[in-house]
């Protein structure tokens, strides 16, 4: 333990620093981890790091969080994984819960309502940008395997887009279904049927049906364990539960939650903590975060030694080749209900400006959403209505 103490202290400091500076989502997290672990400290070779990125992208859940946990695991084993993962996640979690207390207060100041309404108006454009940014790399993987594979990619993406626009809480079944179909088409029928045994399915269904903390835990588990294709796929997964099924939040508050997840450092998955806060206060926010991030720790602690095998596993690759395009389509499709959630005309104008900034001018997400929030403050203080 005395041998581990110095290295665990180093991990806590460096991973905590990345957790504080990680604005901009997974690309920023990966760049910071690469600079630390490969370029500066030489803890991993460039090849080891790229292999870790590829393996984490095969796993469901927040890939950059799993990468941070894996890099710490390589340095100091399970203890390093726990310390590094916690220090990477904690700064953003504290920030997002602090902002949730302000933005979801019973009677927040008018300027806070304006900031939330303005930033929330940009969320649909951010979802569209997030999905479109994932298309080229995902579609390129089908280029060398013929037209049939590319045709299925387009079909999965289209189904995912329709599901993201309309199905809400049932989206997770579409993502799983597309993945399992691809496994079956590549000759893995038994593997596909064995992936989700009936006992866990039944237990999870009971937990979700009880309401209260069980329902919150089920929502958080879907976010943490069943999100494929990037962190933003959690938006359609959460929206139906948070707004329509359990009524923890209004549409406007949910848009605030997504916006807060974008402007704070750390993974987009932190958005689920805002949902948890709306449902059951600080305790609910912490519970939601705990449940959502536990699968990431479990995947690394139980499976990191098998990462090389996972990268070359035909069945895992097939599942992601089905679920991944569906998730990308779902992210793009989620822009539709997010845009339809806007209730004021001035918010539509903010959305249009945000779309131009993000899609045409290729501006960064964080400055764009902050600018949208500032516009909302100005407009509301000038007398414009605040969405309910």
């Amino acid at each position: 333990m005395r041998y581990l103490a110095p290295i665990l202290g180093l991990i806590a400091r460096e991973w905590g620093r990345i957790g504080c500076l990680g604005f901009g989502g997974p690309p920023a997290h990966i760049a910071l981890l690469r600079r630390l672990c490969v370029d500066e400290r030489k803890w991993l070779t460039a090849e080891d790091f790229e292999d870790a990125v590829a393996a984490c992208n095969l796993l469901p859940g927040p890939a950059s969080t799993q990468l941070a946990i894996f890099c710490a695991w390589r340095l100091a084993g399970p203890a390093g994984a726990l310390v590094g993962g916690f220090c990477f996640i904690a700064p953003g979690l504290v920030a997002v819960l602090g902002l949730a207390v302000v933005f979801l207060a019973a009677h927040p100041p008018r300027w806070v309502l304006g900031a939330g309404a303005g930033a929330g108006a940009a969320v649909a454009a951010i979802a569209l940008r997030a999905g479109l940014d994932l298309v080229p790399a995902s579609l390129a993987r089908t280029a060398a395997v013929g037209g049939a594979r590319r045709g299925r990619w387009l079909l999965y993406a289209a189904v995912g887009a329709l599901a993201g626009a309309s199905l809400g809480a049932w989206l997770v079944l579409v993502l799983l279904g597309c993945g399992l179909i691809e496994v079956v088409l590549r000759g893995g029928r038994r593997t596909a049927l064995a992936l989700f045994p009936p006992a866990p399915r039944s237990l999870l269904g009971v937990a979700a049906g009880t309401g209260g903390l069980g329902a919150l835990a089920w929502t958080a588990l879907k976010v943490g364990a069943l999100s494929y294709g990037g962190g933003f796929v959690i938006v359609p997964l959460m929206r139906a539960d948070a707004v329509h099924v359990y009524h923890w939040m209004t549409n406007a508050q949910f848009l605030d939650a997504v916006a807060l997840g974008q402007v704070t450092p750390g993974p987009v998955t932190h958005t689920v903590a805002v949902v948890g806060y709306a449902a059951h206060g600080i305790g609910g926010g912490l519970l939601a975060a705990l449940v959502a991030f536990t699968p990431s720790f479990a995947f690394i602690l139980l499976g990191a030694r098998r990462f090389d095998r996972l990268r070359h596993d035909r069945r895992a690759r097939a599942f992601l080749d089905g679920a991944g395009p569906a998730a990308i389509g779902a992210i793009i499709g989620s822009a539709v209900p997010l845009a339809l959630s806007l209730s004021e005309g001035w918010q539509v104008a903010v959305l249009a400006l945000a779309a131009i900034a993000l899609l045409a001018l290729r501006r960064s997400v964080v400055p764009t959403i902050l600018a949208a929030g500032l516009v909302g403050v100005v407009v509301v203080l000038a007398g414009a209505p605040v969405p309910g």
Side-chain angles (χ1 to χ4, degrees):
M1 188 66 184
R2 283 181 296 176
Y3 168 77
L4 271 179
I7 192 65
L8 291 179
L10 177 62
I11 289 173
R13 184 177 72 248
E14 294 295 339
W15 268 250
R17 178 179 62 84
I18 292 173
C20 292
L21 300 177
F23 294 92
H29 305 154
I30 293 171
L32 289 168
L33 286 166
R34 183 186 179 90
R35 185 184 308 159
L36 172 67
C37 297
V38 178
D39 300 334
E40 296 177 358
R41 298 285 186 164
K42 313 295 184 187
W43 289 325
L44 282 77
T45 67
E47 183 179 2
D48 287 339
F49 188 82
E50 295 305 323
D51 287 349
V53 172
C56 289
N57 280 324
L58 282 172
L59 298 171
S64 62
T65 301
Q66 291 159 355
L67 179 64
I69 297 170
F70 175 82
C71 290
W73 176 84
R74 279 291 300 268
L75 193 56
L82 293 171
V83 171
F86 174 80
C87 291
F88 174 78
I89 293 166
L93 179 61
V94 171
V96 82
L97 284 175
L99 290 171
V101 171
V102 175
F103 278 80
L104 299 183
H107 301 288
R110 189 171 175 81
W111 70 267
V112 169
L113 295 174
V123 166
I126 295 170
L128 189 58
R129 161 80 173 265
L132 292 176
D133 283 353
L134 293 169
V135 169
S138 180
L139 192 55
R141 287 198 292 265
T142 69
V145 291
R149 188 77 61 80
R150 177 161 289 199
R152 293 205 298 273
W153 189 101
L154 294 171
L155 178 61
Y156 295 142
V159 170
L162 289 172
S166 60
L167 290 187
W170 297 103
L171 169 64
V172 64
L173 299 181
V174 174
L175 300 183
L176 295 176
C178 289
L180 296 178
I181 287 170
E182 188 64 20
V183 172
V184 170
L185 290 176
R186 297 193 203 176
R189 185 185 307 273
R190 289 186 179 180
T191 301
L193 294 175
L195 283 176
F196 299 96
R201 285 202 307 264
S202 301
L203 291 174
L204 290 173
V206 169
T210 59
L213 293 177
L216 178 60
W218 169 235
T219 299
L221 182 61
K222 287 188 289 186
V223 168
L226 300 174
S227 56
Y228 297 89
F232 226 90
V233 78
I234 69 173
V235 172
L237 287 177
M238 283 191 295
R239 181 174 175 272
D241 283 357
V243 177
H244 299 296
V245 177
Y246 300 113
H247 307 290
W248 294 322
M249 316 174 80
T250 65
N251 266 316
Q253 289 173 328
F254 182 76
L255 291 174
D256 287 352
V258 178
L260 294 178
Q262 292 291 301
V263 300
T264 50
V268 180
T269 307
H270 279 146
T271 304
V272 76
V274 186
V275 174
Y277 175 80
H280 296 288
I282 292 293
L286 294 174
L287 172 66
L290 175 65
V291 173
F293 285 110
T294 292
S296 294
F297 284 94
F299 288 143
I300 303 305
L301 293 173
L302 299 177
R305 297 185 187 278
R306 301 177 180 85
F307 264 25
D308 186 65
R309 189 187 310 170
L310 175 65
R311 282 195 64 220
H312 299 94
D313 187 286
R314 177 179 57 85
R315 294 159 299 184
R317 181 74 262 170
F319 184 83
L320 189 67
D321 284 347
I328 293 172
I331 295 169
I332 295 172
S334 71
V336 174
L338 291 172
L340 293 176
S341 297
L342 303 180
S343 58
E344 302 297 337
W346 67 266
Q347 289 184 291
V348 176
V350 171
L351 171 59
L353 292 173
I356 293 171
L358 293 169
L359 303 176
L361 302 178
R362 303 299 297 176
R363 301 301 185 193
S364 297
V365 168
V366 174
T368 299
I369 203 166
L370 290 175
L374 181 59
V375 170
V377 171
V378 172
V379 170
V380 166
L381 291 182
V386 176

